[in-house]
Amino acid sequence: MSTIPARAVTFDFGQTLAELDHAMLSRRLAERGVVVAAEVLAAHTVPAWVAYNDAVRAGLGGHPWRVLMDTLLAAAGVGEGRAALVEWLWQEQPRANLWRKPIDGMIDVVRDLRARGVPVAVVSNSEGRLAELIDEMGWTGEFDAVADSGRLGIEKPDRAIFAWAAACIDTPLEACVHIGDAWAADFVGAREAGMRAVLFRGVHSMPAGDARGTGDDVAVCDDAPTLRAALRRWSLPL
């Protein structure tokens, strides 16, 4: 276990603080004449994230959003015209970000950490308007720094994006805990940067038999209460 006490926390955004709003995606598809129920989209989200993680592990740059969305729509039964639909959704994403449904209890973890003097940042592979989305969701001022790959030009799992956020909150990487759902981008990226890491609701993306998912500097959590328990284990005040 790291000998440096944990004293700051960084969060991924999509699927960690806010998840894909399937109802919004269903409405957006309907604008283009494609009818897919939100429940059907939700039922096929896991294989889409598996494809996303596979793309990151394979070294596909450019934030493989299109891979995720194409896999999701294909699994949900969208066939003809899917490529054009994915491209339209991607072009619309900066204006109408689909990842805006708050995950239960997570913003409360952020608020409680900061109320106790713990610096908190976001580190996200996003499209360049994450700060604006945070404002739209009513979370203005909840974070000490926002590292948006679309603005910085560096993406997880590159150590540089974690280092940028750590510098903004004046904390060495070794004293930071990173929380995210993506095995390759978040968990492995954070570990290789020297951070403690929490895999949040991303067990489906963990390769079988990978020993990096065990040890005193890592945790796997399914929800806000189990995350709180993990952070307390590292003596963070919650």
Side-chain angles (χ1 to χ4, degrees):
M1 187 171 183
S2 174
T3 58
I4 301 177
R7 62 174 190 264
V9 180
T10 64
F11 289 83
D12 176 40
F13 192 83
Q15 302 302 113
T16 301
L17 294 171
E19 61 190 340
L20 175 60
D21 189 331
H22 296 101
M24 181 179 178
L25 176 56
S26 178
R27 291 193 300 271
R28 300 248 59 201
L29 293 172
E31 292 176 31
R32 308 292 283 192
V34 177
V35 178
V36 185
E39 295 78 10
V40 173
L41 293 165
H44 293 93
T45 297
V46 167
W49 282 110
V50 171
Y52 178 94
N53 274 282
D54 287 346
V56 173
R57 279 197 291 268
L60 180 64
H63 174 26
W65 189 99
R66 293 177 180 86
V67 172
L68 183 148
M69 190 59 62
D70 183 72
T71 305
L72 173 58
L73 296 186
V78 178
E80 185 177 354
R82 189 174 68 248
L85 194 58
V86 169
E87 191 60 32
W88 175 72
L89 287 168
W90 172 250
Q91 296 301 324
E92 287 285 289
Q93 179 71 356
R95 182 185 69 82
N97 195 303
L98 296 167
W99 272 261
R100 63 174 64 234
K101 182 180 179 182
I103 294 176
D104 288 347
M106 290 299 286
I107 193 62
D108 295 322
V109 175
V110 172
R111 289 167 176 157
D112 288 349
L113 285 167
R114 294 189 76 228
R116 291 161 174 78
V118 177
V120 176
V122 171
V123 182
S124 177
N125 285 355
S126 195
E127 296 82 40
R129 295 192 72 253
L130 184 56
E132 290 83 351
L133 174 62
I134 288 170
D135 290 343
E136 289 173 28
M137 293 176 65
W139 291 353
T140 303
E142 301 288 4
F143 305 99
D144 297 297
V146 176
D148 179 342
S149 68
R151 285 193 173 169
L152 295 176
I154 44 177
E155 305 164 348
K156 298 178 294 184
D158 191 327
R159 182 183 187 278
I161 193 168
F162 296 107
W164 186 92
C168 286
I169 56 177
D170 195 25
T171 307
L173 284 165
E174 294 78 7
C176 295
V177 178
H178 180 69
I179 302 157
D181 71 294
W183 173 261
D186 290 303
F187 190 86
V188 175
R191 293 299 294 133
E192 292 185 350
M195 307 167 79
R196 295 171 176 88
V198 177
L199 185 64
F200 183 73
R201 304 199 319 176
V203 173
H204 58 269
S205 69
M206 182 188 297
D210 195 316
R212 286 175 293 190
T214 61
D216 292 333
D217 286 343
V218 302
V220 178
C221 300
D222 294 323
D223 52 27
T226 56
L227 174 61
R228 286 176 180 271
L231 295 177
R232 289 191 198 105
R233 177 162 63 87
W234 289 317
S235 300
L236 286 160
L238 276 172

